[in-house]
Amino acid sequence: LDCAGANQATQTLAPIGKGFAPSITRLANGNVFITAQESSTGTLFGYVCKDASCSAPQVLTMEAGPNMGGVSIASSYDDSRPLAFYQDVAAKDVRASECTQLNCTTLQQRVAINGFSVSLPSVALRSDSRAVAIWLKQRTPVIGVCADLACSSVAERPTSGGNTDTRPT
């Protein structure tokens, strides 16, 4: 509990220029999945640790840059397939990338907020692992709630706030 035995294994995952805006989640198999942006290229990387020390992680290009993953949330399916939600700054979208099978040799990428233009998005996960995002639309904060884990549809909910340029969180 006092973290006296903590190790720094994850530092080796982030060579110079990588590691911006990291997120981490524990997979159902007990290992961890980490997302982080390489700031020099704007590429979002994922790291699937295969053991507790994360000595030889599987490195995934969740989506090539530029402008991917300035904000990212690492998640997973119940079968331990990694899933990441992240920001595409240029297109003003919230995007998702997921492993299509357990060995994660292929990734499926999609626009998670289904084409809504989202300025300054923040993303979080609900207790049931569905993504929820908040962004500005015509200077008013809007909440988008994914209908399922794959975010196949989004319920857009306006808020009562308005006339702001401040990033909602």
Side-chain angles (χ1 to χ4, degrees):
L1 290 175
D2 65 3
C3 260
N7 67 45
Q8 301 291 316
T10 55
Q11 287 185 346
T12 62
L13 301 178
I16 302 297
K18 290 185 183 161
F20 179 71
S23 180
I24 188 169
T25 191
R26 183 176 299 279
L27 301 173
N29 63 13
N31 294 327
V32 296
F33 169 57
I34 303 163
T35 60
Q37 183 195 54
E38 180 182 61
S39 58
S40 63
T41 65
T43 296
L44 181 68
F45 285 96
Y47 305 94
V48 181
C49 296
K50 302 296 184 178
D51 55 35
S53 65
C54 207
S55 56
Q58 180 180 9
V59 180
L60 307 170
T61 301
M62 303 307 287
E63 189 156 353
N67 301 316
M68 297 295 168
V71 174
S72 69
I73 300 290
S75 184
S76 71
Y77 289 96
D78 289 342
D79 64 0
S80 292
R81 285 182 297 127
L83 166 66
F85 292 95
Y86 49 95
Q87 177 186 19
D88 176 346
V89 177
K92 296 185 176 178
D93 278 326
V94 174
R95 301 183 65 81
S97 185
E98 67 181 68
C99 294
T100 57
Q101 67 281 341
L102 283 175
N103 63 2
C104 214
T105 55
T106 59
L107 294 166
Q108 177 182 351
Q109 298 162 339
R110 64 187 177 280
V111 176
I113 303 300
N114 295 308
F116 295 130
S117 178
V118 295
S119 179
L120 301 171
S122 290
V123 186
L125 295 179
R126 296 167 49 115
S127 60
D128 61 5
S129 296
R130 288 183 295 151
V132 60
I134 187 166
W135 63 87
L136 290 180
K137 182 177 183 179
Q138 298 175 345
R139 298 173 56 105
T140 300
V142 176
I143 297 170
V145 180
C146 292
D148 53 25
L149 198 61
C151 210
S152 59
S153 66
V154 178
E156 186 177 2
R157 299 182 179 145
T159 64
S160 59
N163 199 28
T164 183
D165 288 325
T166 304
R167 180 185 187 149
T169 59

